[in-house]
Amino acid sequence: MTLLQVMAADDADRVRLRTADEAVISAELAAHGIAFDRWPAHDDAATLSSDDLLARYADHVAELNADGRYRHIDIARIHPDDSDPSWPETAEGARAKFLDEHRHAEDEVRYFASGRGCFYLHLGEEVLAVVCEAGDLLSVPAGTLHWFDMGERPDFIAVRFFEEADGWIGDFTGDRISSGFPTLDELLAAS
């Protein structure tokens, strides 16, 4: 379920809005200059190679990148593997990488082909938690303070769009604000 929860930046328990209504989510995000869109999700996304998945979405990617701005388009995928004894450590490391507040020098554009993740956008006096699931496209403007939680058991495939090859590298603020907000798993459990 795609979800938006808007909380006070100084008190996560003060919730101004919690909704799964896509029209409300889109309007709320647009008011802050954040693009949200839906593309068709395909049940077999996890079975496709990265090249095949990009081919499947070629028309959507071409439309989004009509100006040629994104020179690096790739796939990020992580799936649970209980047969691998190092999986829990791998998952924890991947999750921890972007749990702290940071920003990027370019827009952060992600399309979720499967699974889910949550972007937390620190916009002045509010934090907007946006749970994205298969079919969701989110574009966070350059310089926006945010963090990302892929949950305790990460499982997603995302198409990533970059202007520069190092566009994914975060500029971390050192602010521990993220520790005061519900995790992806907690947001979903409250549904």
Side-chain angles (χ1 to χ4, degrees), residues 16-37:
R16 175 175 68 80
L17 174 67
R18 182 180 170 92
T19 184
D21 182 314
E22 290 177 22
V24 174
I25 292 170
S26 186
E28 182 73 27
L29 294 174
H32 296 284
I34 298 156
F36 175 80
D37 197 5

Side-chain angles (χ1 to χ4, degrees), residues 129-170:
V130 186
V131 177
C132 295
E133 295 207 325
D136 292 340
L137 174 81
L138 187 70
S139 180
V140 179
T144 301
L145 296 173
H146 69 284
W147 61 95
F148 178 74
D149 185 6
M150 59 183 76
E152 291 180 19
R153 193 167 169 82
D155 188 3
F156 69 87
I157 300 173
V159 180
R160 306 182 307 172
F161 298 81
F162 303 108
E163 294 173 40
E164 302 295 333
D166 63 354
W168 64 273
I169 297 174

Side-chain angles (χ1 to χ4, degrees), residues 169-186:
I169 297 174
D171 172 22
F172 289 85
T173 67
D175 190 328
R176 300 290 303 156
I177 186 171
S178 61
S179 64
F181 285 81
T183 65
L184 166 61
D185 299 295
E186 290 167 340

Side-chain angles (χ1 to χ4, degrees), residues 29-158:
L29 294 174
H32 296 284
I34 298 156
F36 175 80
D37 197 5
R38 298 273 306 155
W39 290 358
H42 300 283
D43 292 340
D44 64 346
T47 68
L48 299 175
S49 71
S50 294
D51 288 341
D52 288 343
L53 192 60
L54 286 172
R56 170 89 47 96
Y57 287 104
D59 291 343
H60 292 284
V61 168
E63 184 179 335
L64 177 69
N65 197 32
D67 62 1
R69 174 180 171 188
Y70 302 112
R71 296 189 309 264
H72 305 275
I73 300 168
D74 68 10
I75 303 285
R77 59 174 82 219
I78 185 167
H79 301 289
D81 183 357
D82 295 326
S83 68
D84 179 358
S86 66
W87 161 250
E89 185 178 328
T90 299
E92 186 177 328
R95 182 182 189 201
K97 194 175 288 188
F98 294 104
L99 272 178
D100 290 329
E101 184 181 73
H102 61 280
R103 70 184 126 238
H104 299 279
E106 60 182 62
D107 295 354
E108 183 164 358
V109 183
R110 301 291 181 271
Y111 168 70
F112 285 81
S114 74
R116 71 171 55 110
C118 185
F119 283 91
Y120 296 79
L121 312 171
H122 183 185
L123 306 173
E125 296 181 6
E126 292 185 320
V127 170
L128 286 66
V130 186
V131 177
C132 295
E133 295 207 325
D136 292 340
L137 174 81
L138 187 70
S139 180
V140 179
T144 301
L145 296 173
H146 69 284
W147 61 95
F148 178 74
D149 185 6
M150 59 183 76
E152 291 180 19
R153 193 167 169 82
D155 188 3
F156 69 87
I157 300 173

